[in-house]
mmCIF file of all heavy atoms in Angstrom:
data_model
loop_
_atom_site.group_PDB
_atom_site.id
_atom_site.type_symbol
_atom_site.label_atom_id
_atom_site.label_comp_id
_atom_site.label_asym_id
_atom_site.label_seq_id
_atom_site.Cartn_x
_atom_site.Cartn_y
_atom_site.Cartn_z
ATOM 1 N N LEU P 5 -2.577 19.648 -12.193
ATOM 2 C CA LEU P 5 -2.040 19.779 -13.540
ATOM 3 C C LEU P 5 -2.292 21.194 -14.037
ATOM 4 O O LEU P 5 -3.317 21.806 -13.708
ATOM 5 C CB LEU P 5 -2.725 18.780 -14.476
ATOM 6 C CG LEU P 5 -2.561 17.284 -14.166
ATOM 7 C CD1 LEU P 5 -3.430 16.474 -15.112
ATOM 8 C CD2 LEU P 5 -1.115 16.869 -14.283
ATOM 9 N N SER P 6 -1.372 21.715 -14.820
ATOM 10 C CA SER P 6 -1.581 23.029 -15.409
ATOM 11 C C SER P 6 -2.642 22.939 -16.496
ATOM 12 O O SER P 6 -2.965 21.851 -16.985
ATOM 13 C CB SER P 6 -0.271 23.543 -16.021
ATOM 14 O OG SER P 6 0.083 22.762 -17.155
ATOM 15 N N GLU P 7 -3.189 24.098 -16.849
ATOM 16 C CA GLU P 7 -4.197 24.104 -17.902
ATOM 17 C C GLU P 7 -3.625 23.581 -19.211
ATOM 18 O O GLU P 7 -4.319 22.932 -19.995
ATOM 19 C CB GLU P 7 -4.760 25.512 -18.089
ATOM 20 C CG GLU P 7 -5.596 25.997 -16.920
ATOM 21 C CD GLU P 7 -6.757 25.066 -16.621
ATOM 22 O OE1 GLU P 7 -7.425 24.629 -17.584
ATOM 23 O OE2 GLU P 7 -6.996 24.776 -15.432
ATOM 24 N N THR P 8 -2.347 23.854 -19.430
ATOM 25 C CA THR P 8 -1.693 23.339 -20.646
ATOM 26 C C THR P 8 -1.612 21.827 -20.609
ATOM 27 O O THR P 8 -1.889 21.145 -21.603
ATOM 28 C CB THR P 8 -0.271 23.922 -20.775
ATOM 29 O OG1 THR P 8 -0.346 25.353 -20.817
ATOM 30 C CG2 THR P 8 0.412 23.402 -22.034
ATOM 31 N N ASP P 9 -1.228 21.274 -19.436
ATOM 32 C CA ASP P 9 -1.125 19.824 -19.301
ATOM 33 C C ASP P 9 -2.487 19.143 -19.476
ATOM 34 O O ASP P 9 -2.566 18.018 -19.957
ATOM 35 C CB ASP P 9 -0.550 19.451 -17.933
ATOM 36 C CG ASP P 9 0.919 19.829 -17.802
ATOM 37 O OD1 ASP P 9 1.591 19.915 -18.846
ATOM 38 O OD2 ASP P 9 1.380 20.024 -16.662
ATOM 39 N N LYS P 10 -3.559 19.852 -19.061
ATOM 40 C CA LYS P 10 -4.888 19.251 -19.116
ATOM 41 C C LYS P 10 -5.542 19.365 -20.490
ATOM 42 O O LYS P 10 -6.549 18.697 -20.751
ATOM 43 C CB LYS P 10 -5.803 19.906 -18.066
ATOM 44 C CG LYS P 10 -5.462 19.521 -16.646
ATOM 45 C CD LYS P 10 -6.548 19.931 -15.668
ATOM 46 C CE LYS P 10 -6.635 21.422 -15.487
ATOM 47 N NZ LYS P 10 -7.582 21.800 -14.406
ATOM 48 N N SER P 11 -4.996 20.205 -21.348
ATOM 49 C CA SER P 11 -5.616 20.406 -22.656
ATOM 50 C C SER P 11 -5.633 19.094 -23.440
ATOM 51 O O SER P 11 -4.663 18.330 -23.445
ATOM 52 C CB SER P 11 -4.850 21.474 -23.452
ATOM 53 O OG SER P 11 -3.526 21.074 -23.686
ATOM 54 N N ASP P 12 -6.760 18.834 -24.051
ATOM 55 C CA ASP P 12 -6.962 17.638 -24.882
ATOM 56 C C ASP P 12 -6.958 16.335 -24.085
ATOM 57 O O ASP P 12 -6.921 15.246 -24.678
ATOM 58 C CB ASP P 12 -5.900 17.543 -25.997
ATOM 59 C CG ASP P 12 -5.941 18.729 -26.944
ATOM 60 O OD1 ASP P 12 -7.059 19.213 -27.208
ATOM 61 O OD2 ASP P 12 -4.881 19.172 -27.392
ATOM 62 N N LEU P 13 -6.983 16.401 -22.763
ATOM 63 C CA LEU P 13 -7.057 15.184 -21.959
ATOM 64 C C LEU P 13 -8.500 14.927 -21.536
ATOM 65 O O LEU P 13 -9.250 15.860 -21.248
ATOM 66 C CB LEU P 13 -6.185 15.299 -20.701
ATOM 67 C CG LEU P 13 -4.667 15.274 -20.869
ATOM 68 C CD1 LEU P 13 -4.004 15.415 -19.499
ATOM 69 C CD2 LEU P 13 -4.210 13.996 -21.550
ATOM 70 N N SER P 14 -8.866 13.670 -21.482
ATOM 71 C CA SER P 14 -10.191 13.301 -20.973
ATOM 72 C C SER P 14 -10.207 13.443 -19.458
ATOM 73 O O SER P 14 -9.164 13.550 -18.809
ATOM 74 C CB SER P 14 -10.503 11.849 -21.343
ATOM 75 O OG SER P 14 -9.620 10.979 -20.646
ATOM 76 N N ASP P 15 -11.396 13.431 -18.881
ATOM 77 C CA ASP P 15 -11.512 13.463 -17.427
ATOM 78 C C ASP P 15 -10.787 12.280 -16.790
ATOM 79 O O ASP P 15 -10.165 12.413 -15.737
ATOM 80 C CB ASP P 15 -12.981 13.442 -17.007
ATOM 81 C CG ASP P 15 -13.691 14.763 -17.284
ATOM 82 O OD1 ASP P 15 -12.993 15.761 -17.545
ATOM 83 O OD2 ASP P 15 -14.930 14.791 -17.242
ATOM 84 N N ASP P 16 -10.880 11.115 -17.430
ATOM 85 C CA ASP P 16 -10.219 9.925 -16.885
ATOM 86 C C ASP P 16 -8.710 10.123 -16.805
ATOM 87 O O ASP P 16 -8.068 9.763 -15.803
ATOM 88 C CB ASP P 16 -10.521 8.700 -17.757
ATOM 89 C CG ASP P 16 -11.972 8.273 -17.665
ATOM 90 O OD1 ASP P 16 -12.587 8.478 -16.614
ATOM 91 O OD2 ASP P 16 -12.486 7.720 -18.663
ATOM 92 N N MET P 17 -8.115 10.692 -17.853
ATOM 93 C CA MET P 17 -6.661 10.860 -17.867
ATOM 94 C C MET P 17 -6.222 11.994 -16.938
ATOM 95 O O MET P 17 -5.148 11.924 -16.330
ATOM 96 C CB MET P 17 -6.170 11.121 -19.292
ATOM 97 C CG MET P 17 -6.188 9.880 -20.178
ATOM 98 S SD MET P 17 -5.269 8.472 -19.477
ATOM 99 C CE MET P 17 -3.601 9.145 -19.404
ATOM 100 N N ILE P 18 -7.048 13.033 -16.794
ATOM 101 C CA ILE P 18 -6.724 14.090 -15.828
ATOM 102 C C ILE P 18 -6.675 13.497 -14.425
ATOM 103 O O ILE P 18 -5.754 13.762 -13.647
ATOM 104 C CB ILE P 18 -7.759 15.233 -15.904
ATOM 105 C CG1 ILE P 18 -7.626 15.988 -17.232
ATOM 106 C CG2 ILE P 18 -7.589 16.199 -14.728
ATOM 107 C CD1 ILE P 18 -8.718 17.012 -17.463
#
Side-chain angles (χ1 to χ4, degrees):
L5 298 174
S6 68
E7 291 303 316
T8 302
D9 290 335
K10 288 192 290 187
S11 62
D12 299 324
L13 289 179
S14 67
D15 288 346
D16 291 330
M17 286 305 298
I18 291 173

